[in-house]
């Protein structure tokens, strides 16, 4: 059983469209998407520097566009399961058939803008806690009034909230762990993002939805969601609530998934799966050079 999954924010790198735009049809697709959402995705994916694509308002549309571009190039339709980490859920929603690709890009354009705006109103941040006892890590995060915003499994939990509290966590990490500050603009997936929720709810209320054709696993609780409107509702709510990627990986296992392809910009989710679900074979689709190998991999799991 094959799953195709989509990464989240922080996975972007400068020039990540370069190998894909050699194909004129894919380049034309990026230009078309850029025109439809009023953002130059071609520039962001080819000539923009690291600082420009780190901006939340740019990073989120760029990442979702990269995943959808990779899925187009891969051309595999008969896979069984999809999911995405955080903003990657919008790419997964399009892959599942719940919403169209263009609507996914419209939503992520607004999502990135509104989350950047919310982050600018209250200084806050995020830090990854790597290793340590899970119970002790969660207790230390709660004791500082921080939120476990990304429970990523595989010994990685991302704490989010007040910068002074994050500094205290860094100075006194839980036993056996290390704390690494993340280069993000705010405390995503916490109450700090609440101002972004209602504008997105207003936008998504006008989006056409459909029952999913591919099983879609939700970040909220690891459940498979089939109703398109519920998919969107969960994605909007997730802006200000934690991501339970650990539960998504458990569901991949329980569904009987044997192979996972991570769409571009790939690498992070495959790394987590290798540590948390080593029985699942993985493939990171990083560039157009990987397409033949990815199709061969898919053929072993469909």
């Amino acid at each position: 059983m094959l799953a195709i999954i989509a990464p989240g924010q922080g996975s972007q790198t400068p020039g990540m469209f370069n190998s894909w735009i050699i194909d004129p049809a894919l380049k034309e697709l990026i230009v078309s998407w850029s025109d439809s959402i009023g953002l130059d995705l071609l520039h962001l994916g080819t000539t923009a520097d690291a600082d420009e694509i780190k901006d939340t308002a740019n990073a989120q549309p760029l990442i979702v566009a990269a995943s959808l571009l990779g899925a187009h190039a891969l051309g595999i339709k008969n896979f069984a399961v999809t999911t995405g980490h955080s903003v990657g859920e919008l790419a997964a929603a399009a892959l599942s058939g719940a919403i169209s690709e263009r609507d996914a890009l419209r939503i992520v354009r607004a999502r990135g803008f509104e989350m950047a705006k919310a982050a600018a109103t209250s200084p806050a941040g995020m830090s990854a806690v790597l290793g340590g006892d899970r119970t002790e890590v969660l207790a230390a995060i709660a004791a500082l009034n921080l939120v476990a915003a990304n429970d990523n499994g595989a010994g990685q939990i991302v704490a989010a909230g007040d910068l002074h509290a994050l500094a205290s966590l860094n100075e006194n990490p839980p036993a056996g762990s290390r704390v690494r500050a993340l280069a993000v603009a705010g405390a995503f997936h916490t109450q700090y993002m609440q101002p972004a929720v209602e504008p997105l709810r207003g936008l998504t209320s006008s989006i056409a939805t459909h029952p999913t054709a591919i099983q879609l696993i939700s970040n909220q609780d690891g459940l498979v969601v089939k109703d398109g409107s519920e998919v969107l509702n969960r994605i909007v709510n997730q802006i200000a609530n934690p991501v339970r990627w650990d539960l998504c990986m458990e569901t991949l296992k329980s569904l009987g998934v044997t192979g996972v392809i991570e769409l571009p910009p790939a690498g992070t989710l495959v790394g987590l799966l290798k540590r948390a679900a080593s029985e699942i074979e993985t493939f990171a689709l990083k560039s157009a050079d990987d397409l033949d190998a990815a199709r061969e991999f898919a053929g072993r799991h469909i």
Side-chain angles (χ1 to χ4, degrees), residues 86-125:
S86 184
V87 73
E89 272 200 305
L90 280 165
L95 293 176
S96 76
I99 57 175
S100 71
E101 290 177 343
R102 289 189 185 277
D103 282 337
L105 290 164
R106 284 176 59 209
I107 295 167
V108 75
R109 173 72 163 123
R111 185 185 191 272
F113 175 78
E114 294 295 343
M115 289 178 72
K117 189 164 69 171
T121 63
S122 301

Side-chain angles (χ1 to χ4, degrees), residues 166-185:
L166 289 171
S168 296
L169 184 67
N170 183 62
E171 291 164 6
N172 297 286
S177 74
R178 58 190 176 92
V179 178
R180 178 169 57 86
L182 301 181
V184 295

